[in-house]
Amino acid sequence: MEKKEIKKVLKFYKNLNPSTQLNINDREVIEVWCDVFMEYSYEQVRNAIVAFSKKKPFAPSIGEIISNIEVPEYTIEKIPPNTVIIQFEDETYGNFPFRFLNSQDAKEYSKKFQECNYDKESIKILHEEHVRKRNAGVLTYRGEAKARLEQKLQNQNRGKKYDKQSSYGW
């Protein structure tokens, strides 16, 4: 989570718990929250605060917020410039590397990931579609190259009779 999102979470936290003595404009408070929540998304932290507030009538501590964060069973690793690897903890699914030609395609697919709620089967289907789409040009090129090579060999062998004995060099 970025610093501006931390400020947004702190503001949400303060509005949800107005009686808290937390100064959301204090630099040290922002730094502590940045250090603690940097590996989580804004939505995860916000949802954890809401979940806790529904159970208890008082403001949650940082530890109570962390204990209410739902951690997905997958990780998303972004490798610059345009590679995203989604890895599930379930070993039967393994890794699904998505390699994009530009950041616009990566953003488009990240929306698709969110729409399917990172469901394993949906990610698998998206990955198959992605690979098929990305490799379509390569497969066509290989097919065309193979056809050209076969045509060239046919042109070279026209009029020549194949002789098994002549192929051996004594």
Side-chain angles (χ1 to χ4, degrees):
M1 189 167 22
E2 296 176 11
K3 208 173 228 181
K4 61 184 174 184
E5 291 176 318
I6 292 289
K7 290 178 182 181
K8 194 173 170 183
V9 164
L10 282 167
K11 194 173 188 179
F12 176 77
Y13 178 84
K14 183 72 172 176
N15 288 334
L16 196 60
N17 304 294
S19 62
T20 186
Q21 299 297 319
L22 187 67
N23 181 1
I24 62 172
N25 295 319
D26 185 10
R27 255 191 213 164
E28 290 180 23
V29 170
I30 293 170
E31 289 299 319
V32 167
W33 280 58
C34 276
D35 291 343
V36 173
F37 295 114
M38 71 188 309
E39 63 190 59
Y40 302 108
S41 71
Y42 168 77
E43 290 82 16
Q44 285 177 310
V45 176
R46 186 180 183 281
N47 292 341
I49 293 170
V50 169
F52 183 86
S53 298
K54 287 181 179 180
K55 296 176 196 171
K56 310 274 179 157
F58 53 88
S61 68
I62 289 178
E64 291 166 329
I65 294 171
I66 290 173
S67 67
N68 279 287
I69 292 177
E70 293 181 17
V71 179
E73 55 187 50
Y74 59 86
T75 58
I76 298 176
E77 181 182 356
K78 295 178 181 174
I79 302 171
N82 298 316
T83 299
V84 177
I85 296 177
I86 299 179
Q87 180 175 354
F88 288 95
E89 290 178 10
D90 183 1
E91 292 179 10
T92 58
Y93 280 88
N95 295 337
F96 292 98
F98 290 81
R99 290 181 178 81
F100 304 101
L101 299 175
N102 55 49
S103 59
Q104 183 64 32
D105 289 346
K107 287 177 186 176
E108 180 183 314
Y109 264 86
S110 67
K111 289 177 186 174
K112 289 181 181 181
F113 299 149
Q114 290 172 353
E115 289 170 3
C116 71
N117 294 322
Y118 298 95
D119 174 60
K120 290 177 188 176
E121 287 298 323
S122 300
I123 293 290
K124 189 174 183 179
I125 291 167
L126 281 173
H127 185 259
E128 288 171 2
E129 289 174 4
H130 173 73
V131 169
R132 206 174 302 117
K133 180 181 173 185
R134 182 163 165 111
N135 291 338
V138 175
L139 295 175
T140 302
Y141 172 75
R142 285 182 182 163
E144 291 171 1
K146 183 178 177 183
R148 281 194 305 246
L149 180 62
E150 287 175 354
Q151 184 65 40
K152 185 177 179 181
L153 289 173
Q154 285 177 358
N155 291 340
Q156 288 177 351
N157 292 329
R158 277 194 190 149
K160 293 183 181 177
K161 292 183 181 177
Y162 182 69
D163 183 11
K164 283 186 180 179
Q165 292 178 351
S166 64
S167 64
Y168 295 105
W170 300 97

